[in-house]
PDB file of all heavy atoms in Angstrom:
ATOM      1  N   GLN Q  58       5.480 -11.210   6.133  1.00 95.00           N
ATOM      2  CA  GLN Q  58       6.657 -11.074   5.279  1.00 95.00           C
ATOM      3  C   GLN Q  58       6.742  -9.682   4.670  1.00 95.00           C
ATOM      4  O   GLN Q  58       7.838  -9.127   4.520  1.00 95.00           O
ATOM      5  CB  GLN Q  58       6.617 -12.146   4.190  1.00 95.00           C
ATOM      6  CG  GLN Q  58       6.772 -13.564   4.724  1.00 95.00           C
ATOM      7  CD  GLN Q  58       6.462 -14.622   3.677  1.00 95.00           C
ATOM      8  OE1 GLN Q  58       6.135 -14.310   2.524  1.00 95.00           O
ATOM      9  NE2 GLN Q  58       6.553 -15.890   4.059  1.00 95.00           N
ATOM     10  N   TRP Q  59       5.584  -9.115   4.312  1.00 95.00           N
ATOM     11  CA  TRP Q  59       5.598  -7.752   3.772  1.00 95.00           C
ATOM     12  C   TRP Q  59       6.123  -6.769   4.808  1.00 95.00           C
ATOM     13  O   TRP Q  59       6.943  -5.898   4.485  1.00 95.00           O
ATOM     14  CB  TRP Q  59       4.184  -7.358   3.338  1.00 95.00           C
ATOM     15  CG  TRP Q  59       4.094  -5.972   2.765  1.00 95.00           C
ATOM     16  CD1 TRP Q  59       4.271  -5.609   1.469  1.00 95.00           C
ATOM     17  CD2 TRP Q  59       3.840  -4.758   3.486  1.00 95.00           C
ATOM     18  NE1 TRP Q  59       4.131  -4.251   1.319  1.00 95.00           N
ATOM     19  CE2 TRP Q  59       3.867  -3.701   2.548  1.00 95.00           C
ATOM     20  CE3 TRP Q  59       3.591  -4.468   4.814  1.00 95.00           C
ATOM     21  CZ2 TRP Q  59       3.655  -2.375   2.916  1.00 95.00           C
ATOM     22  CZ3 TRP Q  59       3.376  -3.141   5.185  1.00 95.00           C
ATOM     23  CH2 TRP Q  59       3.406  -2.117   4.243  1.00 95.00           C
ATOM     24  N   MET Q  60       5.665  -6.904   6.037  1.00 95.00           N
ATOM     25  CA  MET Q  60       6.111  -5.997   7.085  1.00 95.00           C
ATOM     26  C   MET Q  60       7.596  -6.172   7.379  1.00 95.00           C
ATOM     27  O   MET Q  60       8.323  -5.192   7.590  1.00 95.00           O
ATOM     28  CB  MET Q  60       5.288  -6.234   8.350  1.00 95.00           C
ATOM     29  CG  MET Q  60       5.675  -5.353   9.533  1.00 95.00           C
ATOM     30  SD  MET Q  60       5.538  -3.582   9.193  1.00 95.00           S
ATOM     31  CE  MET Q  60       3.764  -3.393   9.140  1.00 95.00           C
ATOM     32  N   GLN Q  61       8.073  -7.404   7.391  1.00 93.00           N
ATOM     33  CA  GLN Q  61       9.491  -7.639   7.678  1.00 93.00           C
ATOM     34  C   GLN Q  61      10.388  -7.094   6.573  1.00 93.00           C
ATOM     35  O   GLN Q  61      11.517  -6.671   6.853  1.00 93.00           O
ATOM     36  CB  GLN Q  61       9.731  -9.135   7.861  1.00 93.00           C
ATOM     37  CG  GLN Q  61       9.113  -9.718   9.124  1.00 93.00           C
ATOM     38  CD  GLN Q  61       9.280 -11.223   9.221  1.00 93.00           C
ATOM     39  OE1 GLN Q  61       9.533 -11.904   8.213  1.00 93.00           O
ATOM     40  NE2 GLN Q  61       9.137 -11.762  10.422  1.00 93.00           N
ATOM     41  N   ALA Q  62       9.906  -7.109   5.329  1.00 93.00           N
ATOM     42  CA  ALA Q  62      10.713  -6.620   4.205  1.00 93.00           C
ATOM     43  C   ALA Q  62      10.598  -5.120   3.998  1.00 93.00           C
ATOM     44  O   ALA Q  62      11.256  -4.575   3.101  1.00 93.00           O
ATOM     45  CB  ALA Q  62      10.298  -7.347   2.924  1.00 93.00           C
ATOM     46  N   LEU Q  63       9.808  -4.444   4.791  1.00 93.00           N
ATOM     47  CA  LEU Q  63       9.594  -3.014   4.599  1.00 93.00           C
ATOM     48  C   LEU Q  63      10.876  -2.241   4.896  1.00 93.00           C
ATOM     49  O   LEU Q  63      11.502  -2.443   5.946  1.00 93.00           O
ATOM     50  CB  LEU Q  63       8.470  -2.533   5.516  1.00 93.00           C
ATOM     51  CG  LEU Q  63       7.788  -1.207   5.159  1.00 93.00           C
ATOM     52  CD1 LEU Q  63       7.095  -1.314   3.806  1.00 93.00           C
ATOM     53  CD2 LEU Q  63       6.786  -0.823   6.234  1.00 93.00           C
ATOM     54  N   PRO Q  64      11.308  -1.371   3.991  1.00 92.00           N
ATOM     55  CA  PRO Q  64      12.525  -0.584   4.249  1.00 92.00           C
ATOM     56  C   PRO Q  64      12.382   0.274   5.503  1.00 92.00           C
ATOM     57  O   PRO Q  64      11.276   0.644   5.910  1.00 92.00           O
ATOM     58  CB  PRO Q  64      12.650   0.281   2.986  1.00 92.00           C
ATOM     59  CG  PRO Q  64      11.872  -0.437   1.941  1.00 92.00           C
ATOM     60  CD  PRO Q  64      10.740  -1.109   2.658  1.00 92.00           C
ATOM     61  N   LYS Q  65      13.492   0.605   6.093  1.00 90.00           N
ATOM     62  CA  LYS Q  65      13.486   1.334   7.355  1.00 90.00           C
ATOM     63  C   LYS Q  65      12.818   2.693   7.218  1.00 90.00           C
ATOM     64  O   LYS Q  65      12.095   3.136   8.122  1.00 90.00           O
ATOM     65  CB  LYS Q  65      14.920   1.498   7.863  1.00 90.00           C
ATOM     66  CG  LYS Q  65      15.015   2.180   9.219  1.00 90.00           C
ATOM     67  CD  LYS Q  65      16.459   2.264   9.703  1.00 90.00           C
ATOM     68  CE  LYS Q  65      16.551   2.951  11.060  1.00 90.00           C
ATOM     69  NZ  LYS Q  65      17.954   3.032  11.533  1.00 90.00           N
ATOM     70  N   HIS Q  66      13.035   3.375   6.095  1.00 89.00           N
ATOM     71  CA  HIS Q  66      12.482   4.723   5.956  1.00 89.00           C
ATOM     72  C   HIS Q  66      10.964   4.709   5.746  1.00 89.00           C
ATOM     73  O   HIS Q  66      10.329   5.769   5.805  1.00 89.00           O
ATOM     74  CB  HIS Q  66      13.170   5.464   4.795  1.00 89.00           C
ATOM     75  CG  HIS Q  66      12.726   5.013   3.434  1.00 89.00           C
ATOM     76  ND1 HIS Q  66      13.239   3.902   2.810  1.00 89.00           N
ATOM     77  CD2 HIS Q  66      11.797   5.518   2.578  1.00 89.00           C
ATOM     78  CE1 HIS Q  66      12.674   3.742   1.630  1.00 89.00           C
ATOM     79  NE2 HIS Q  66      11.798   4.714   1.456  1.00 89.00           N
ATOM     80  N   LEU Q  67      10.389   3.514   5.504  1.00 90.00           N
ATOM     81  CA  LEU Q  67       8.944   3.415   5.353  1.00 90.00           C
ATOM     82  C   LEU Q  67       8.257   2.906   6.610  1.00 90.00           C
ATOM     83  O   LEU Q  67       7.044   2.668   6.599  1.00 90.00           O
ATOM     84  CB  LEU Q  67       8.599   2.490   4.179  1.00 90.00           C
ATOM     85  CG  LEU Q  67       8.910   3.024   2.781  1.00 90.00           C
ATOM     86  CD1 LEU Q  67       8.546   2.000   1.720  1.00 90.00           C
ATOM     87  CD2 LEU Q  67       8.181   4.334   2.518  1.00 90.00           C
ATOM     88  N   ARG Q  68       8.986   2.754   7.682  1.00 91.00           N
ATOM     89  CA  ARG Q  68       8.391   2.322   8.940  1.00 91.00           C
ATOM     90  C   ARG Q  68       7.940   3.533   9.754  1.00 91.00           C
ATOM     91  O   ARG Q  68       8.402   4.658   9.537  1.00 91.00           O
ATOM     92  CB  ARG Q  68       9.388   1.490   9.744  1.00 91.00           C
ATOM     93  CG  ARG Q  68       9.784   0.194   9.041  1.00 91.00           C
ATOM     94  CD  ARG Q  68      10.762  -0.618   9.871  1.00 91.00           C
ATOM     95  NE  ARG Q  68      11.096  -1.864   9.199  1.00 91.00           N
ATOM     96  CZ  ARG Q  68      10.405  -2.992   9.318  1.00 91.00           C
ATOM     97  NH1 ARG Q  68       9.336  -3.019  10.112  1.00 91.00           N
ATOM     98  NH2 ARG Q  68      10.765  -4.087   8.680  1.00 91.00           N
ATOM     99  N   LEU Q  69       7.030   3.288  10.677  1.00 90.00           N
ATOM    100  CA  LEU Q  69       6.544   4.357  11.545  1.00 90.00           C
ATOM    101  C   LEU Q  69       7.666   4.840  12.459  1.00 90.00           C
ATOM    102  O   LEU Q  69       8.509   4.049  12.885  1.00 90.00           O
ATOM    103  CB  LEU Q  69       5.357   3.863  12.377  1.00 90.00           C
ATOM    104  CG  LEU Q  69       4.097   3.486  11.592  1.00 90.00           C
ATOM    105  CD1 LEU Q  69       3.071   2.864  12.526  1.00 90.00           C
ATOM    106  CD2 LEU Q  69       3.512   4.699  10.894  1.00 90.00           C
ATOM    107  N   ARG Q  70       7.639   6.106  12.756  1.00 85.00           N
ATOM    108  CA  ARG Q  70       8.683   6.715  13.579  1.00 85.00           C
ATOM    109  C   ARG Q  70       8.074   7.154  14.904  1.00 85.00           C
ATOM    110  O   ARG Q  70       7.516   8.255  15.013  1.00 85.00           O
ATOM    111  CB  ARG Q  70       9.296   7.901  12.843  1.00 85.00           C
ATOM    112  CG  ARG Q  70       9.824   7.518  11.460  1.00 85.00           C
ATOM    113  CD  ARG Q  70      10.182   8.727  10.617  1.00 85.00           C
ATOM    114  NE  ARG Q  70      10.457   8.339   9.226  1.00 85.00           N
ATOM    115  CZ  ARG Q  70      10.706   9.204   8.254  1.00 85.00           C
ATOM    116  NH1 ARG Q  70      10.705  10.514   8.511  1.00 85.00           N
ATOM    117  NH2 ARG Q  70      10.939   8.763   7.029  1.00 85.00           N
ATOM    118  N   PRO Q  71       8.172   6.302  15.920  1.00 79.00           N
ATOM    119  CA  PRO Q  71       7.517   6.644  17.192  1.00 79.00           C
ATOM    120  C   PRO Q  71       8.120   7.858  17.875  1.00 79.00           C
ATOM    121  O   PRO Q  71       7.441   8.546  18.642  1.00 79.00           O
ATOM    122  CB  PRO Q  71       7.717   5.369  18.028  1.00 79.00           C
ATOM    123  CG  PRO Q  71       8.898   4.691  17.414  1.00 79.00           C
ATOM    124  CD  PRO Q  71       8.860   5.002  15.959  1.00 79.00           C
ATOM    125  N   ASP Q  72       9.399   8.149  17.611  1.00 75.00           N
ATOM    126  CA  ASP Q  72      10.066   9.275  18.287  1.00 75.00           C
ATOM    127  C   ASP Q  72      10.140  10.524  17.418  1.00 75.00           C
ATOM    128  O   ASP Q  72      10.740  11.529  17.826  1.00 75.00           O
ATOM    129  CB  ASP Q  72      11.482   8.861  18.704  1.00 75.00           C
ATOM    130  CG  ASP Q  72      11.481   7.689  19.670  1.00 75.00           C
ATOM    131  OD1 ASP Q  72      10.493   7.574  20.429  1.00 75.00           O
ATOM    132  OD2 ASP Q  72      12.434   6.899  19.643  1.00 75.00           O
ATOM    133  N   GLY Q  73       9.565  10.481  16.224  1.00 72.00           N
ATOM    134  CA  GLY Q  73       9.610  11.629  15.336  1.00 72.00           C
ATOM    135  C   GLY Q  73       8.321  11.775  14.564  1.00 72.00           C
ATOM    136  O   GLY Q  73       7.328  11.100  14.824  1.00 72.00           O
ATOM    137  N   VAL Q  74       8.347  12.681  13.593  1.00 84.00           N
ATOM    138  CA  VAL Q  74       7.169  12.935  12.773  1.00 84.00           C
ATOM    139  C   VAL Q  74       7.203  12.004  11.565  1.00 84.00           C
ATOM    140  O   VAL Q  74       8.152  12.020  10.776  1.00 84.00           O
ATOM    141  CB  VAL Q  74       7.120  14.404  12.318  1.00 84.00           C
ATOM    142  CG1 VAL Q  74       5.909  14.635  11.429  1.00 84.00           C
ATOM    143  CG2 VAL Q  74       7.097  15.331  13.521  1.00 84.00           C
ATOM    144  N   THR Q  75       6.157  11.205  11.422  1.00 87.00           N
ATOM    145  CA  THR Q  75       6.064  10.275  10.293  1.00 87.00           C
ATOM    146  C   THR Q  75       5.354  10.965   9.140  1.00 87.00           C
ATOM    147  O   THR Q  75       4.279  11.528   9.327  1.00 87.00           O
ATOM    148  CB  THR Q  75       5.292   9.012  10.693  1.00 87.00           C
ATOM    149  OG1 THR Q  75       5.932   8.404  11.817  1.00 87.00           O
ATOM    150  CG2 THR Q  75       5.253   8.020   9.551  1.00 87.00           C
ATOM    151  N   PRO Q  76       5.945  10.941   7.943  1.00 88.00           N
ATOM    152  CA  PRO Q  76       5.259  11.551   6.791  1.00 88.00           C
ATOM    153  C   PRO Q  76       3.886  10.929   6.560  1.00 88.00           C
ATOM    154  O   PRO Q  76       3.650   9.756   6.859  1.00 88.00           O
ATOM    155  CB  PRO Q  76       6.214  11.263   5.625  1.00 88.00           C
ATOM    156  CG  PRO Q  76       7.557  11.086   6.267  1.00 88.00           C
ATOM    157  CD  PRO Q  76       7.282  10.454   7.592  1.00 88.00           C
ATOM    158  N   LYS Q  77       3.005  11.725   6.002  1.00 88.00           N
ATOM    159  CA  LYS Q  77       1.616  11.287   5.845  1.00 88.00           C
ATOM    160  C   LYS Q  77       1.482  10.094   4.908  1.00 88.00           C
ATOM    161  O   LYS Q  77       0.636   9.216   5.137  1.00 88.00           O
ATOM    162  CB  LYS Q  77       0.763  12.452   5.345  1.00 88.00           C
ATOM    163  CG  LYS Q  77       0.515  13.528   6.395  1.00 88.00           C
ATOM    164  CD  LYS Q  77      -0.408  14.603   5.878  1.00 88.00           C
ATOM    165  CE  LYS Q  77       0.250  15.393   4.759  1.00 88.00           C
ATOM    166  NZ  LYS Q  77      -0.609  16.514   4.296  1.00 88.00           N
ATOM    167  N   HIS Q  78       2.299  10.032   3.860  1.00 88.00           N
ATOM    168  CA  HIS Q  78       2.160   8.919   2.927  1.00 88.00           C
ATOM    169  C   HIS Q  78       2.590   7.602   3.563  1.00 88.00           C
ATOM    170  O   HIS Q  78       2.074   6.538   3.213  1.00 88.00           O
ATOM    171  CB  HIS Q  78       2.947   9.194   1.647  1.00 88.00           C
ATOM    172  CG  HIS Q  78       4.434   9.144   1.802  1.00 88.00           C
ATOM    173  ND1 HIS Q  78       5.164  10.189   2.323  1.00 88.00           N
ATOM    174  CD2 HIS Q  78       5.326   8.165   1.511  1.00 88.00           C
ATOM    175  CE1 HIS Q  78       6.440   9.873   2.335  1.00 88.00           C
ATOM    176  NE2 HIS Q  78       6.567   8.654   1.851  1.00 88.00           N
ATOM    177  N   ILE Q  79       3.505   7.650   4.540  1.00 91.00           N
ATOM    178  CA  ILE Q  79       3.902   6.435   5.247  1.00 91.00           C
ATOM    179  C   ILE Q  79       2.788   5.999   6.194  1.00 91.00           C
ATOM    180  O   ILE Q  79       2.505   4.801   6.337  1.00 91.00           O
ATOM    181  CB  ILE Q  79       5.225   6.664   5.998  1.00 91.00           C
ATOM    182  CG1 ILE Q  79       6.343   6.955   4.998  1.00 91.00           C
ATOM    183  CG2 ILE Q  79       5.573   5.468   6.868  1.00 91.00           C
ATOM    184  CD1 ILE Q  79       7.695   7.229   5.642  1.00 91.00           C
ATOM    185  N   ILE Q  80       2.144   6.957   6.833  1.00 92.00           N
ATOM    186  CA  ILE Q  80       0.995   6.622   7.685  1.00 92.00           C
ATOM    187  C   ILE Q  80      -0.104   5.975   6.846  1.00 92.00           C
ATOM    188  O   ILE Q  80      -0.721   4.982   7.267  1.00 92.00           O
ATOM    189  CB  ILE Q  80       0.477   7.881   8.399  1.00 92.00           C
ATOM    190  CG1 ILE Q  80       1.521   8.401   9.390  1.00 92.00           C
ATOM    191  CG2 ILE Q  80      -0.834   7.585   9.125  1.00 92.00           C
ATOM    192  CD1 ILE Q  80       1.125   9.680  10.078  1.00 92.00           C
ATOM    193  N   SER Q  81      -0.352   6.504   5.663  1.00 92.00           N
ATOM    194  CA  SER Q  81      -1.373   5.921   4.785  1.00 92.00           C
ATOM    195  C   SER Q  81      -1.014   4.496   4.395  1.00 92.00           C
ATOM    196  O   SER Q  81      -1.896   3.620   4.311  1.00 92.00           O
ATOM    197  CB  SER Q  81      -1.537   6.783   3.528  1.00 92.00           C
ATOM    198  OG  SER Q  81      -1.976   8.087   3.852  1.00 92.00           O
ATOM    199  N   LEU Q  82       0.266   4.243   4.173  1.00 93.00           N
ATOM    200  CA  LEU Q  82       0.702   2.891   3.833  1.00 93.00           C
ATOM    201  C   LEU Q  82       0.419   1.921   4.970  1.00 93.00           C
ATOM    202  O   LEU Q  82      -0.062   0.800   4.753  1.00 93.00           O
ATOM    203  CB  LEU Q  82       2.188   2.904   3.488  1.00 93.00           C
ATOM    204  CG  LEU Q  82       2.798   1.574   3.027  1.00 93.00           C
ATOM    205  CD1 LEU Q  82       2.200   1.134   1.705  1.00 93.00           C
ATOM    206  CD2 LEU Q  82       4.320   1.689   2.908  1.00 93.00           C
ATOM    207  N   HIS Q  83       0.676   2.326   6.207  1.00 95.00           N
ATOM    208  CA  HIS Q  83       0.439   1.455   7.358  1.00 95.00           C
ATOM    209  C   HIS Q  83      -1.051   1.322   7.650  1.00 95.00           C
ATOM    210  O   HIS Q  83      -1.491   0.269   8.141  1.00 95.00           O
ATOM    211  CB  HIS Q  83       1.187   1.993   8.578  1.00 95.00           C
ATOM    212  CG  HIS Q  83       2.668   1.733   8.529  1.00 95.00           C
ATOM    213  ND1 HIS Q  83       3.254   0.649   9.137  1.00 95.00           N
ATOM    214  CD2 HIS Q  83       3.677   2.412   7.917  1.00 95.00           C
ATOM    215  CE1 HIS Q  83       4.563   0.668   8.923  1.00 95.00           C
ATOM    216  NE2 HIS Q  83       4.846   1.732   8.188  1.00 95.00           N
ATOM    217  N   LEU Q  84      -1.816   2.344   7.358  1.00 95.00           N
ATOM    218  CA  LEU Q  84      -3.263   2.213   7.507  1.00 95.00           C
ATOM    219  C   LEU Q  84      -3.820   1.176   6.530  1.00 95.00           C
ATOM    220  O   LEU Q  84      -4.722   0.403   6.879  1.00 95.00           O
ATOM    221  CB  LEU Q  84      -3.938   3.566   7.283  1.00 95.00           C
ATOM    222  CG  LEU Q  84      -3.788   4.593   8.404  1.00 95.00           C
ATOM    223  CD1 LEU Q  84      -4.339   5.945   7.967  1.00 95.00           C
ATOM    224  CD2 LEU Q  84      -4.488   4.129   9.676  1.00 95.00           C
ATOM    225  N   GLN Q  85      -3.288   1.162   5.313  1.00 95.00           N
ATOM    226  CA  GLN Q  85      -3.714   0.156   4.349  1.00 95.00           C
ATOM    227  C   GLN Q  85      -3.298  -1.242   4.801  1.00 95.00           C
ATOM    228  O   GLN Q  85      -4.040  -2.215   4.631  1.00 95.00           O
ATOM    229  CB  GLN Q  85      -3.128   0.465   2.967  1.00 95.00           C
ATOM    230  CG  GLN Q  85      -3.447  -0.557   1.890  1.00 95.00           C
ATOM    231  CD  GLN Q  85      -4.933  -0.704   1.622  1.00 95.00           C
ATOM    232  OE1 GLN Q  85      -5.712   0.205   1.879  1.00 95.00           O
ATOM    233  NE2 GLN Q  85      -5.325  -1.841   1.090  1.00 95.00           N
ATOM    234  N   PHE Q  86      -2.104  -1.362   5.414  1.00 96.00           N
ATOM    235  CA  PHE Q  86      -1.665  -2.645   5.954  1.00 96.00           C
ATOM    236  C   PHE Q  86      -2.601  -3.117   7.068  1.00 96.00           C
ATOM    237  O   PHE Q  86      -3.025  -4.286   7.095  1.00 96.00           O
ATOM    238  CB  PHE Q  86      -0.234  -2.524   6.472  1.00 96.00           C
ATOM    239  CG  PHE Q  86       0.224  -3.712   7.271  1.00 96.00           C
ATOM    240  CD1 PHE Q  86       0.593  -4.890   6.645  1.00 96.00           C
ATOM    241  CD2 PHE Q  86       0.292  -3.651   8.656  1.00 96.00           C
ATOM    242  CE1 PHE Q  86       1.016  -5.989   7.382  1.00 96.00           C
ATOM    243  CE2 PHE Q  86       0.705  -4.735   9.399  1.00 96.00           C
ATOM    244  CZ  PHE Q  86       1.068  -5.916   8.761  1.00 96.00           C
ATOM    245  N   ASN Q  87      -2.932  -2.218   7.983  1.00 96.00           N
ATOM    246  CA  ASN Q  87      -3.868  -2.582   9.051  1.00 96.00           C
ATOM    247  C   ASN Q  87      -5.225  -2.985   8.497  1.00 96.00           C
ATOM    248  O   ASN Q  87      -5.872  -3.902   9.002  1.00 96.00           O
ATOM    249  CB  ASN Q  87      -4.029  -1.405  10.022  1.00 96.00           C
ATOM    250  CG  ASN Q  87      -2.768  -1.112  10.801  1.00 96.00           C
ATOM    251  OD1 ASN Q  87      -1.847  -1.923  10.844  1.00 96.00           O
ATOM    252  ND2 ASN Q  87      -2.712   0.060  11.405  1.00 96.00           N
ATOM    253  N   GLN Q  88      -5.664  -2.294   7.449  1.00 96.00           N
ATOM    254  CA  GLN Q  88      -6.942  -2.639   6.838  1.00 96.00           C
ATOM    255  C   GLN Q  88      -6.893  -4.041   6.240  1.00 96.00           C
ATOM    256  O   GLN Q  88      -7.881  -4.783   6.299  1.00 96.00           O
ATOM    257  CB  GLN Q  88      -7.301  -1.610   5.764  1.00 96.00           C
ATOM    258  CG  GLN Q  88      -8.613  -1.858   5.061  1.00 96.00           C
ATOM    259  CD  GLN Q  88      -9.814  -1.755   5.988  1.00 96.00           C
ATOM    260  OE1 GLN Q  88      -9.726  -1.142   7.048  1.00 96.00           O
ATOM    261  NE2 GLN Q  88     -10.921  -2.352   5.596  1.00 96.00           N
ATOM    262  N   CYS Q  89      -5.756  -4.418   5.665  1.00 96.00           N
ATOM    263  CA  CYS Q  89      -5.615  -5.770   5.125  1.00 96.00           C
ATOM    264  C   CYS Q  89      -5.743  -6.812   6.233  1.00 96.00           C
ATOM    265  O   CYS Q  89      -6.385  -7.857   6.045  1.00 96.00           O
ATOM    266  CB  CYS Q  89      -4.268  -5.918   4.418  1.00 96.00           C
ATOM    267  SG  CYS Q  89      -4.154  -5.102   2.821  1.00 96.00           S
ATOM    268  N   VAL Q  90      -5.126  -6.542   7.382  1.00 96.00           N
ATOM    269  CA  VAL Q  90      -5.216  -7.475   8.507  1.00 96.00           C
ATOM    270  C   VAL Q  90      -6.667  -7.600   8.965  1.00 96.00           C
ATOM    271  O   VAL Q  90      -7.177  -8.710   9.190  1.00 96.00           O
ATOM    272  CB  VAL Q  90      -4.308  -7.024   9.663  1.00 96.00           C
ATOM    273  CG1 VAL Q  90      -4.486  -7.925  10.878  1.00 96.00           C
ATOM    274  CG2 VAL Q  90      -2.847  -7.016   9.229  1.00 96.00           C
ATOM    275  N   MET Q  91      -7.357  -6.471   9.100  1.00 96.00           N
ATOM    276  CA  MET Q  91      -8.756  -6.520   9.527  1.00 96.00           C
ATOM    277  C   MET Q  91      -9.629  -7.189   8.473  1.00 96.00           C
ATOM    278  O   MET Q  91     -10.532  -7.970   8.801  1.00 96.00           O
ATOM    279  CB  MET Q  91      -9.257  -5.096   9.820  1.00 96.00           C
ATOM    280  CG  MET Q  91      -8.681  -4.480  11.080  1.00 96.00           C
ATOM    281  SD  MET Q  91      -9.433  -2.869  11.481  1.00 96.00           S
ATOM    282  CE  MET Q  91      -8.591  -1.817  10.294  1.00 96.00           C
ATOM    283  N   LEU Q  92      -9.391  -6.896   7.215  1.00 95.00           N
ATOM    284  CA  LEU Q  92     -10.196  -7.480   6.151  1.00 95.00           C
ATOM    285  C   LEU Q  92     -10.060  -9.000   6.125  1.00 95.00           C
ATOM    286  O   LEU Q  92     -11.032  -9.723   5.879  1.00 95.00           O
ATOM    287  CB  LEU Q  92      -9.779  -6.886   4.801  1.00 95.00           C
ATOM    288  CG  LEU Q  92     -10.674  -7.147   3.596  1.00 95.00           C
ATOM    289  CD1 LEU Q  92     -12.035  -6.505   3.782  1.00 95.00           C
ATOM    290  CD2 LEU Q  92     -10.009  -6.629   2.324  1.00 95.00           C
ATOM    291  N   ALA Q  93      -8.853  -9.487   6.406  1.00 94.00           N
ATOM    292  CA  ALA Q  93      -8.621 -10.925   6.375  1.00 94.00           C
ATOM    293  C   ALA Q  93      -9.190 -11.638   7.592  1.00 94.00           C
ATOM    294  O   ALA Q  93      -9.626 -12.789   7.498  1.00 94.00           O
ATOM    295  CB  ALA Q  93      -7.122 -11.205   6.263  1.00 94.00           C
ATOM    296  N   THR Q  94      -9.206 -10.981   8.745  1.00 95.00           N
ATOM    297  CA  THR Q  94      -9.536 -11.670  10.001  1.00 95.00           C
ATOM    298  C   THR Q  94     -10.890 -11.310  10.586  1.00 95.00           C
ATOM    299  O   THR Q  94     -11.355 -12.011  11.488  1.00 95.00           O
ATOM    300  CB  THR Q  94      -8.456 -11.364  11.055  1.00 95.00           C
ATOM    301  OG1 THR Q  94      -8.348  -9.937  11.232  1.00 95.00           O
ATOM    302  CG2 THR Q  94      -7.111 -11.910  10.627  1.00 95.00           C
ATOM    303  N   ARG Q  95     -11.539 -10.259  10.130  1.00 94.00           N
ATOM    304  CA  ARG Q  95     -12.773  -9.866  10.802  1.00 94.00           C
ATOM    305  C   ARG Q  95     -13.930 -10.846  10.597  1.00 94.00           C
ATOM    306  O   ARG Q  95     -14.829 -10.877  11.440  1.00 94.00           O
ATOM    307  CB  ARG Q  95     -13.186  -8.453  10.391  1.00 94.00           C
ATOM    308  CG  ARG Q  95     -13.637  -8.261   8.964  1.00 94.00           C
ATOM    309  CD  ARG Q  95     -13.835  -6.782   8.667  1.00 94.00           C
ATOM    310  NE  ARG Q  95     -14.345  -6.553   7.323  1.00 94.00           N
ATOM    311  CZ  ARG Q  95     -14.449  -5.354   6.769  1.00 94.00           C
ATOM    312  NH1 ARG Q  95     -14.080  -4.276   7.455  1.00 94.00           N
ATOM    313  NH2 ARG Q  95     -14.928  -5.208   5.544  1.00 94.00           N
TER     314      ARG Q  95
END
């Protein structure tokens, strides 16, 4: 639900340059997934 509600400008940009703070946000999201399932 958090990922689905994420505003468009905070999503990763596969065809462009993603700002570093947005990458950090997605890294924290991935860490949450790993922390919950590992």
Side-chain angles (χ1 to χ4, degrees):
Q58 293 169 1
W59 180 88
M60 179 59 71
Q61 291 176 341
L63 199 63
K65 183 178 180 180
H66 75 278
L67 290 179
R68 297 181 178 272
L69 295 173
R70 305 169 190 175
D72 299 330
V74 178
T75 303
K77 288 184 293 184
H78 71 280
I79 296 179
I80 294 177
S81 298
L82 183 65
H83 285 265
L84 286 172
Q85 177 61 24
F86 169 77
N87 293 345
Q88 180 64 21
C89 286
V90 175
M91 289 186 283
L92 192 64
T94 57
R95 68 187 183 188

